Amino acid sequence: MIIALTVALIALAISSAWLLRLRLTARGPRVPLTTGCEPGLLEIAYLKGREGGVADTVIARMYAEERISVDSAGKVEVISPIARDSFERAVLKECATDWSSDLRAVRDVLTGCRDMRTLEGSLEKQGLLMPLQAHGTWRWAAGIHVVWLVIAGILALASAFTADSALARFAPLALVALGIVLRVLCRPRVGRFTDHGARMDDYLWLESPWGEHKPDRHPAGLAGVVAAWGPQDLPEPDKEFGKQLEKAGGGWRRYKPSSSRSSGSGSSSSSSSYGCSTGCSSSSCSSSSCSSSSCSSSSSSCGGSSCS
């Protein structure tokens, strides 16, 4: 019994140390949110709604800039064949030579775009999201920790009835209790937000103009509202457009801040944060997107190249 309990407690200590180390890696950079800039438009859309959020935002941006139109039947028509990035080039390619396509088909092409991984990788490099493998390892380690908690707990209870001294009776139980506390404090998150990502999440929607619901007051306009809140309940005159996006599969749940805490900065971001990306080319104009030096509607037309 003593040998088995000792082995179980050692295994519990090792799994506890492993779990604690993984929890610390999920903190992300400890930088004030007032320094640097917010993620770019498409990065924020990915934080909010993953692939579907990015697809809806790309479509909303092109729609708001009158480069495409979406009718009540969910038909997408190209008005101006201009693309800022590979996502928008994928839209033009899907519309092909007749410059029209079904909204659901366009959205499906965007959600399967290979550049989604580049966007995701940018957020991981900024410390806003945990890498998928690291998050999976964290959950696996938490499961192993629970197994050793149960084994050590059973053996500690059994030893408490047979031990000769108070120390031998209660010390193992105390170690198991500490393991339970550690498991609660280091439990894996449902999502992949790091601590820095969760703080940025709260900051964007609680202390900056990104929490605005009205497109005419949002720093990124209609596309920003869709990125932050989803396409549902868009005000007139874009209400029908929002319904078509929802019908096409973009009706993700309304945003809720990850916590009620504030970042403590006491200041809000300016409208220049739109497109202010620290690592992702998807939210800005790259040289491969358009032949001009800017991403205005007057830039030259881009061909319908593939999303790669």
Side-chain angles (χ1 to χ4, degrees), residues 3-234:
I3 295 177
L5 177 58
T6 301
V7 172
L9 291 175
I10 292 174
L12 178 60
I14 294 174
S15 63
S16 296
W18 187 24
L19 185 62
L20 179 60
R21 184 179 66 83
L22 291 171
R23 174 63 184 88
L24 292 177
T25 62
R27 295 179 63 184
R30 307 295 295 178
V31 295
L33 295 181
T34 54
T35 62
C37 70
E38 295 85 349
L41 173 66
L42 297 186
E43 292 173 317
I44 289 176
Y46 191 94
L47 286 175
K48 169 61 179 70
R50 298 297 187 266
E51 291 84 356
V54 174
D56 292 340
T57 302
V58 170
I59 295 170
R61 182 171 63 183
M62 297 183 74
Y63 171 83
E65 295 175 359
E66 298 183 349
R67 289 183 280 136
I68 62 171
S69 66
V70 180
D71 61 22
S72 58
K75 188 75 169 180
V76 179
E77 292 189 5
V78 175
I79 299 174
S80 179
I82 298 172
R84 290 187 176 188
D85 50 39
S86 59
F87 290 102
E88 294 185 357
R89 290 198 299 273
V91 174
L92 299 182
K93 183 179 180 181
E94 172 61 24
C95 293
T97 55
D98 59 355
W99 297 119
S100 66
S101 182
D102 180 70
L103 180 60
R104 186 185 298 274
V106 172
R107 191 177 183 277
D108 288 345
V109 166
L110 288 172
T111 55
C113 183
R114 286 178 290 175
D115 271 11
M116 286 291 182
R117 183 64 192 101
T118 302
L119 199 61
E120 182 182 18
S122 172
L123 294 169
E124 292 173 0
K125 289 180 180 178
Q126 295 176 55
L128 296 169
L129 287 181
M130 287 189 68
L132 186 60
Q133 183 177 2
H135 187 258
T137 302
W138 187 11
R139 298 183 65 178
W140 191 61
I144 293 177
H145 186 259
V146 169
V147 171
W148 284 114
L149 266 179
V150 173
I151 295 174
I154 294 173
L155 293 175
L157 285 173
S159 177
F161 292 103
T162 60
D164 297 330
S165 64
L167 180 62
R169 187 177 298 117
F170 295 109
L173 292 174
L175 292 175
V176 172
L178 288 175
I180 294 174
V181 172
L182 181 68
R183 174 64 178 81
V184 172
L185 295 178
C186 298
R187 64 187 183 277
R189 294 192 179 97
V190 175
R192 290 167 54 199
F193 275 136
T194 62
D195 292 354
H196 176 56
R199 289 189 297 115
M200 177 65 76
D201 189 46
D202 289 342
Y203 170 74
L204 286 171
W205 284 274
L206 297 177
E207 299 187 36
S208 80
W210 279 90
E212 177 59 56
H213 286 268
K214 296 181 179 180
D216 58 343
R217 297 174 58 182
H218 197 284
L222 176 66
V225 174
V226 172
W229 297 95
Q232 66 272 17
D233 299 329
L234 285 176

Side-chain angles (χ1 to χ4, degrees), residues 36 55 138 141 143 152 177-178 227 244 282 286:
W138 187 11
L178 288 175
Q244 291 302 321
S282 299
S286 62

